[in-house]
Structure formats: C-alpha cells, structure tokens
Amino acid sequence: MKWNTFVLNAWFIALSSMGGFLLSLTGLSIGWMIGTFLAAALLSFLRPSLLNHAEKKRGVPKYWLLIGQCILGIELGQKINLSFLHIFREHWMTIILMLLISIIFSLLSGFILWKYSKTDMLTSFFGTAPGGLSAMPGIAEEVGANTAVVSIIQTMRVFLVILIIPLIVSSWPGSHADQVVYPTQTAAPFEMGKLLWTMLLIVVACSGHQLAKYLKFPAPWLIGSMVGVAIFQSSASFYMGHDIVSWWPHAVMIVSQVFIASSIGGRFQRDMFIGLKRTIIVALLSTIGLIFSMIMCAFIVSKVTGIALITTVLAFAPGGIAEMTTTSILMGADSTFIIAVQVLRIIIVCIILPPFFRLLNHWGQAKNIYSQTSA
C-alpha cells in the first residue's frame, strides 16, 4: 500500500510538471512553478481514476514539499550575503512600519470576511492572516477556529499570490532595473570534489533543520538549511582563502519548483468548497484587495529606500516563505532580503495576532451575551 501510494504521488507530480514544462517554453521565468501549480490544482479537482488518492488523503505527502524547501534552502545558503543587514540598518523604521500596515490590511480583510459571510470571527481572522499555509491552520486549531476553512482561504491566497505577483512584477516597467545579480554556481562543471562538497552541504542543511525545529522557527526546513549552509560555506571559504564551489546544476532548482508547486496545488479538493460559496466569493474579493494593497506598500518602500521594486513586492507579498523566495531566485531579486522580511512578518503574526484574536473573540462573545441579556 505504501509503495502504491508513493507511485501514485510520483505519477501525480510528474504529470503536474508537464504543465510547468509547457509554461516554461513561453520564456516566463517562473513558468515551471506556475505551470506545475495550475496543472496540480486541475488534476486535484478532476481527480482521475489513475491518480485517485485515498479519501483520507489531502494532496501529496508533506515530505515532497519539505524536500523542495530543503533544496531551496541550500540554494539560498550558497548565495546569502550581508547586504540586507545594511538595508535594515538604514531603513528599518520604514520596513517595520510597512510590515505593520500590511498586517492591518490583513485584519481589515478578515473583518470584511467576518461581516459579509457566515464564517465566525476567529476563522475569518486566521484565514486572512499572512502567517503562511503551514503555520496558521495549526495555530487556528489550538484556539478553536475552523481549520478546514482556514486552510482553504490560506491556500486560495497562496494560489492568487503565485499567479498575480510574478506576472505583475515581470510586466511592471523598470521593475528589473536594479535587480541583484549573484555569482551563479550552476555553470560549474562536474567534478568529484564538487559532488562531495554538495553532499556535505546536504548533511549540513539537514542538521540546520534539526536546530531550527528545536528553536521552533517557522519553515524549519527552509530557514534551517539556508542558515546552516550559509554559515558553513562562508566559514569554509574564509578558512580556505577562496570560494568553494559545489556541483549544483539548474535542474535541481526546477525539481524544487515542481515539488513545492505540486504540493500546494495538490491540496485543492473539490469537496473542500461544498457549502462555502459565499465565503469563497467574499474571501476571493478581499484577498485580491489585500494583494494590491501590499503591492502599493511595496511601491512606497521601494521609493523611500531605493530597494528594487521586484524585491519589495516579493518581500511584502502575502504568500509563503518558500513560494516567494523561489520566485525571487528565478526573477533575480534579493532573496536574502525577501526571506528576512517574510520571516519577520511570520514571527510578528505568530506572536502578536493569536492573543489579539482571542481577545476579539472573547469581546464578541461577551457582547452577544450582554445583548441577549438586555433583550
């Protein structure tokens, strides 16, 4: 049974990747990810008998997503630099302010969802909170919100962000003018020494994940592998007196895109939307408004700080860490700055918002009890 399930999931990912391959032929830099994502979502909705998962399953197993995040973390770790620290030091006030404004916009989106749909207050706020698809449903379950609805709204937002943000950024006039260009390692020829170094980086990435998981960091496979590889590679290069190059072909990043996109797209199931028509419509409209509000915040930050627009848009986009950093690598943006802002926002959301939502929920319940008593 386990082997059959593995084969079905591998077959699902392989078919989904055909959509990525077709879209990549258009020259779109994020084509592999968007195409795979759309194909996976379509296959999940149609659910052909050849790919019919067990009824209790919801998408492909999580380890496919974690493998994609680990590959992405190693890629980022080899490119990390300290430039974003200088940017934070010079413009930290503007960046923190815009982060707080983005969270306020997400609260407004949740308020609209609560007022104009049948969704309860806690579920509405947790569904629109920009804390990531992996973090928010788990927190929502702890406080008694409807986890299924939260997952649907969070998944829909990631879906819209992946579709809208790259297309807008790539077509925005002058958005590529100040892109950060990193020295690439993908063109390095194959050598046994480079392969051994790559295997060592993989071991370091897994160790970094364990540490990040112990410290309860968000997205530990991504953050832990990135930080671990960055520290290890920088220290080794400094000790050797020259940059140590690994064997890291471009096909590896394509694999990462396919795994991440198919894992997210595979979560879309037809029965998830039964009886939620009004909630989905309101959430769709409020999410689109939230995305364009974030784009305006990013535009302001870009003008004030001089940071490239493509970098600020991806940094403030209400998507997941893995999705936005994958997009940043493919579009030549400053990946380290983007991941720093995304992680900072998730930390703020996970620490500040749950107690605030509980307080709002208690206030709402107390108000209802008072109204019933008065009546």
Side-chain angles (χ1 to χ4, degrees):
M1 287 295 294
K2 289 183 177 179
W3 173 249
N4 291 338
T5 302
F6 176 82
V7 172
L8 279 176
N9 289 319
W11 185 231
F12 174 82
I13 293 173
L15 283 182
S16 300
S17 68
M18 292 297 101
F21 172 73
L22 293 176
L23 197 56
S24 69
L25 297 178
T26 64
L28 187 65
S29 58
I30 195 70
W32 274 101
M33 188 166 187
I34 294 180
T36 302
F37 181 63
L38 290 174
L42 180 62
L43 287 173
S44 296
F45 267 94
L46 297 178
R47 195 183 294 177
S49 57
L50 183 62
L51 299 173
N52 193 21
H53 295 76
E55 288 298 324
K56 295 182 180 179
K57 297 288 184 181
R58 282 296 177 262
V60 298
K62 194 175 181 180
Y63 59 78
W64 294 100
L65 174 65
L66 300 181
I67 292 173
Q69 289 186 355
C70 184
I71 295 173
L72 178 60
I74 296 174
E75 169 79 7
L76 290 172
Q78 295 180 82
K79 296 179 176 180
I80 199 167
N81 55 56
L82 300 178
S83 61
F84 72 92
L85 293 178
H86 299 293
I87 296 175
F88 269 124
R89 185 174 60 187
E90 296 176 6
H91 307 291
W92 65 271
M93 181 67 74
T94 303
I95 294 171
I96 295 296
L97 180 62
M98 285 300 141
L99 271 180
L100 294 176
I101 291 177
S102 70
I103 293 175
I104 291 174
F105 276 124
S106 72
L107 292 176
L108 179 61
S109 177
F111 180 79
I112 293 173
L113 179 62
W114 173 46
K115 282 297 183 182
Y116 295 98
S117 72
K118 297 180 180 179
T119 311
D120 62 89
M121 181 188 293
L122 274 179
T123 302
S124 300
F125 282 122
F126 274 104
T128 57
L133 185 59
S134 58
M136 297 317 296
I139 300 175
E141 185 176 10
E142 294 177 1
V143 299
N146 190 325
T147 310
V149 176
V150 170
S151 300
I152 291 172
I153 299 173
Q154 289 281 344
T155 305
M156 184 176 63
R157 190 184 70 241
V158 173
F159 179 91
L160 292 172
V161 168
I162 292 177
L163 287 180
I164 294 175
I165 295 294
L167 295 177
I168 290 179
V169 171
S170 59
S171 61
W172 197 301
S175 62
H176 298 263
D178 301 317
Q179 285 186 25
V180 177
V181 180
Y182 295 102
T184 182
Q185 301 181 30
T186 58
F190 172 77
E191 294 178 8
M192 185 57 66
K194 293 188 175 90
L195 179 60
L196 292 175
W197 182 252
T198 302
M199 295 174 65
L200 185 58
L201 291 182
I202 294 174
V203 173
V204 171
C206 294
S207 302
H209 153 258
Q210 291 296 329
L211 180 60
K213 185 178 180 180
Y214 175 77
L215 297 175
K216 300 187 182 304
F217 281 4
W221 271 109
L222 178 61
I223 304 300
S225 59
M226 182 198 71
V227 175
V229 168
I231 294 175
F232 183 76
Q233 171 120 341
S234 300
S235 302
S237 298
F238 177 79
Y239 178 78
M240 297 296 293
H242 61 86
D243 290 335
I244 303 177
V245 181
S246 63
W247 184 70
W248 199 254
H250 180 65
V252 175
M253 279 308 299
I254 293 178
V255 172
S256 174
Q257 292 179 66
V258 169
F259 284 178
I260 292 174
S262 58
S263 297
I264 298 173
R267 291 173 179 164
F268 279 80
Q269 304 292 331
R270 186 179 303 173
D271 55 358
M272 292 170 62
F273 300 91
I274 297 176
L276 294 175
K277 181 178 179 180
R278 184 179 180 84
T279 301
I280 295 299
I281 293 175
V282 176
L284 176 65
L285 296 177
S286 62
T287 300
I288 293 175
L290 174 63
I291 291 173
F292 282 97
S293 299
M294 296 303 97
I295 292 175
M296 294 309 300
C297 290
F299 180 78
I300 294 172
V301 172
S302 177
K303 287 296 183 182
V304 172
T305 63
I307 304 172
L309 178 62
I310 185 175
T311 298
T312 58
V313 169
L314 293 176
F316 289 95
I321 298 175
E323 293 79 14
M324 293 301 98
T325 47
T326 303
T327 306
S328 69
I329 289 177
L330 300 172
M331 303 190 72
D334 190 340
S335 305
T336 52
F337 175 80
I338 291 168
I339 200 170
V341 174
Q342 290 281 351
V343 169
L344 181 60
R345 179 169 62 192
I346 287 181
I347 291 174
I348 293 175
V349 166
C350 292
I351 292 177
I352 296 178
L353 290 190
F356 177 70
F357 291 159
R358 290 192 192 97
L359 182 63
L360 279 179
N361 190 50
H362 291 323
W363 174 78
Q365 292 176 352
K367 185 178 179 181
N368 291 335
I369 293 174
Y370 178 76
S371 300
Q372 294 173 2
T373 305
S374 299

